[in-house]
C-alpha cells in the first residue's frame, strides 16, 4: 500500500496563501505573488519577496498574481507557486503529501479540476477539494454536522462567499467577485477622481487597512499618502480621511449586503429561524474592514459576529478537515 507523507491544507487565496500542516497549525502565510524572468521563464521569487518587486521590476521581470477572483488565471505559474510552498513546508521528500485545497462555493468543475491538477503536478500525492464556507465554518469552531442552520459570510481577497450550512452541506450559497481586491480598486478610483492623483496597489491596501470603513467611525481618522499628480506628473501628497473611505467603499459594501439578502431570501424558513437565533458569522480578512458587522446588522436585523482569527479560519478549517480524510465521503463537500 502506498504511504503518503504529511497531511497539508492550503487556503489558495487570491491575495494570500496560507498553509496548514496537521499537528502544527498554520505554518506559512505569504502573498500569492510570483516574480518571473520573461526571457527564460524562470521563477525568481515567490511570496513576500516577489510582492516587494511589484511595480519596481525591469522590463524582463514581471511580478504577477496567478490567481484571480478566487480561481486560477495562470495555470503554469500557479503550479510553480504551489510547488514552492509545498517544498517549503514538507520535510519528508520521499513521501508525497495529501493535500486539501479550498475553492469558492460556486467554483465550476473546470476551475476545481485546474486546482486539483495544479496541486498534483506540484508534488501532491493526493488532493481533495473543500468549499470555502465549509472550511471557514469548521475553522471557526462550528459543528456543521448538526441539523441546524449556520450562515457564513467569508470575505477573502478575490471573492465573498455567503452560505447557509446544515448537516455538513451547503444548502444555499452565493459567491460574488467583490472582496479585498475590489475594495483596493475602489480606493484607487476614488483617489484618482477626488484628488486627481494616482496611487499604487500597496498604498491603496494600506488606506483600506488603516482608514477603511463601511459604517461611520466614532471619530474621523486621517492619513497622509503620496502618489503622482495626474495633471503635472509630479509627486503629490494629500491627506485622506476615513469619511472619504466610507464613500469609496459604498458600492462594494452594498453588493455584499445584496448577496446576503439574496441567500436569506432563498433559505428554507426553518433554517432562517436558526439563523435569526444564531446570527451571521463573518470570516476572512475582508470581514475586518471596520463596520461590516454593524452594517449587516443594520440591513438584516440579525446579530452579526466576526470570527476569532478571522483571517485564518479557512486555512484552519481546511487543515482540520484532514482529520476526516480517511473516512471522507464523496460529495459536494469533499472531492478528489
Amino acid at each position: 500500500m502506498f504511504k503518503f507523507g504529511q497531511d497539508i491544507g492550503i487556503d489558495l487565496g487570491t491575495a494570500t496563501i496560507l498553509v496548514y500542516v496537521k499537528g502544527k497549525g498554520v505554518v506559512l502565510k505569504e502573498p500569492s505573488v510570483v516574480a518571473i524572468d520573461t526571457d527564460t521563464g524562470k521563477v525568481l521569487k515567490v511570496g513576500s519577496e516577489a510582492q516587494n518587486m511589484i511595480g519596481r521590476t525591469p522590463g524582463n521581470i514581471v511580478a504577477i498574481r496567478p490567481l484571480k477572483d478566487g480561481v486560477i488565471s495562470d495555470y503554469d505559474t500557479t503550479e510553480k507557486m504551489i510547488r514552492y510552498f509545498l517544498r517549503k513546508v514538507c520535510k519528508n521528500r520521499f513521501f508525497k503529501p495529501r493535500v486539501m485545497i479550498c475553492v469558492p462555493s460556486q467554483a465550476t468543475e473546470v476551475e476545481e479540476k485546474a486546482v486539483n491538477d495544479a496541486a498534483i503536478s506540484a508534488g501532491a500525492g493526493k488532493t481533495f477539494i473543500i468549499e470555502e464556507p465549509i472550511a471557514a465554518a469548521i475553522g471557526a469552531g462550528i459543528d456543521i454536522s448538526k441539523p441546524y442552520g449556520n450562515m457564513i459570510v467569508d470575505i477573502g481577497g478575490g471573492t465573498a462567499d455567503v452560505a447557509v450550512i446544515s448537516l455538513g452541506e451547503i444548502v444555499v450559497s452565493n459567491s460574488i467577485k467583490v472582496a479585498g481586491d475590489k475594495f483596493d480598486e475602489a480606493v484607487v478610483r476614488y483617489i484618482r477622481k477626488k484628488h486627481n492623483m494616482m496611487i499604487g496597489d500597496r498604498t491603496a491596501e494600506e488606506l483600506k487597512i488603516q482608514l477603511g470603513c463601511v459604517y461611520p467611525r466614532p471619530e474621523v481618522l486621517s492619513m497622509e499618502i503620496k502618489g503622482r499628480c495626474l495633471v503635472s506628473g509630479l509627486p503629490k501628497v494629500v491627506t485622506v480621511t476615513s469619511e472619504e473611505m466610507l464613500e469609496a467603499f459604498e458600492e462594494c459594501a452594498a453588493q455584499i449586503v445584496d448577496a446576503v439578502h439574496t441567500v436569506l431570501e432563498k433559505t428554507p424558513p426553518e433554517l432562517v429561524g436558526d439563523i435569526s437565533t444564531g446570527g451571521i458569522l463573518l470570516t476572512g480578512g475582508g470581514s475586518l474592514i471596520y463596520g461590516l458587522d454593524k452594517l449587516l446588522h443594520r440591513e438584516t436585523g440579525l446579530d452579526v459576529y466576526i470570527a476569532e482569527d478571522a483571517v485564518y479560519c479557512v486555512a484552519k478549517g481546511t487543515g482540520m478537515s484532514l482529520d476526516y480524510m480517511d473516512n471522507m465521503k464523496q460529495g459536494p463537500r469533499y472531492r478528489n
Side-chain angles (χ1 to χ4, degrees), residues 16-34:
T16 308
I17 283 189
L18 293 97
V19 179
Y20 179 106
V21 175
K22 186 176 178 180
K24 297 181 180 178
V26 177
V27 297
L28 185 145
K29 177 187 177 186
E30 297 231 18
S32 308
V33 183
V34 181

Side-chain angles (χ1 to χ4, degrees), residues 100-163:
M100 177 84 78
I101 304 181
C102 60
V103 296
S105 60
Q106 300 201 350
T108 65
E109 288 188 12
V110 173
E111 290 166 344
E112 288 184 8
K113 188 176 187 304
V115 170
N116 182 80
D117 291 350
I120 291 293
S121 299
K126 192 172 186 180
T127 62
F128 298 83
I129 301 295
I130 184 171
E131 292 158 309
E132 285 178 6
I134 293 283
I138 294 171
I142 294 175
D143 183 355
I144 61 171
S145 65
K146 294 181 178 179
Y148 185 88
N150 294 286
M151 188 170 202
I152 308 294
V153 180
D154 178 58
I155 305 171
T159 61
D161 284 281
V162 184

Side-chain angles (χ1 to χ4, degrees), residues 227-290:
R228 187 180 76 244
C229 178
L230 292 173
V231 178
S232 66
L234 299 174
K236 183 178 179 179
V237 179
V238 300
T239 299
V240 180
T241 68
S242 54
E243 290 179 330
E244 291 179 287
M245 290 298 94
L246 179 63
E247 186 180 343
F249 289 167
E250 187 175 356
E251 184 180 343
C252 290
Q255 289 178 274
I256 292 174
V257 170
D258 286 345
V260 172
H261 277 157
T262 299
V263 170
L264 284 171
E265 288 168 3
K266 296 178 180 177
T267 302
E270 292 294 337
L271 296 182
V272 171
D274 294 338
I275 294 166
S276 67
T277 302
I280 299 172
L281 183 70
L282 301 182
T283 65
S287 68
L288 300 180
I289 293 176
Y290 179 85

Side-chain angles (χ1 to χ4, degrees), residues 53-221:
M53 298 169 73
I54 291 178
R56 298 189 173 100
T57 59
N60 67 313
I61 298 175
V62 292
I64 61 174
R65 293 170 64 175
L67 295 152
K68 185 174 176 61
D69 298 331
V71 294
I72 293 174
S73 60
D74 185 327
Y75 179 87
D76 291 336
T77 306
T78 300
E79 179 195 321
K80 292 173 183 175
M81 182 172 68
I82 296 174
R83 184 185 300 276
Y84 171 84
F85 289 129
L86 285 179
R87 286 181 174 176
K88 197 168 183 178
V89 301
C90 287
K91 304 304 180 185
N92 189 335
R93 301 288 175 83
F94 293 101
F95 301 110
K96 292 185 176 183
R98 294 191 297 183
V99 178
M100 177 84 78
I101 304 181
C102 60
V103 296
S105 60
Q106 300 201 350
T108 65
E109 288 188 12
V110 173
E111 290 166 344
E112 288 184 8
K113 188 176 187 304
V115 170
N116 182 80
D117 291 350
I120 291 293
S121 299
K126 192 172 186 180
T127 62
F128 298 83
I129 301 295
I130 184 171
E131 292 158 309
E132 285 178 6
I134 293 283
I138 294 171
I142 294 175
D143 183 355
I144 61 171
S145 65
K146 294 181 178 179
Y148 185 88
N150 294 286
M151 188 170 202
I152 308 294
V153 180
D154 178 58
I155 305 171
T159 61
D161 284 281
V162 184
V164 174
I165 301 168
S166 180
L167 287 170
E169 301 283 351
I170 290 178
V171 180
V172 185
S173 70
N174 190 11
S175 181
I176 59 172
K177 294 176 171 56
V178 178
D181 288 350
K182 286 294 189 290
F183 280 99
D184 291 344
E185 292 170 15
V187 173
V188 173
R189 286 197 306 271
Y190 183 86
I191 298 300
R192 184 172 62 227
K193 182 179 179 181
K194 180 77 179 287
H195 296 283
N196 232 359
M197 187 174 91
M198 179 62 71
I199 60 172
D201 293 339
R202 295 179 69 181
T203 301
E205 184 173 23
E206 191 176 353
L207 273 173
K208 176 184 70 177
I209 293 170
Q210 299 297 330
L211 304 183
C213 57
V214 294
Y215 194 87
R217 289 178 178 268
E219 57 182 81
V220 178
L221 304 179

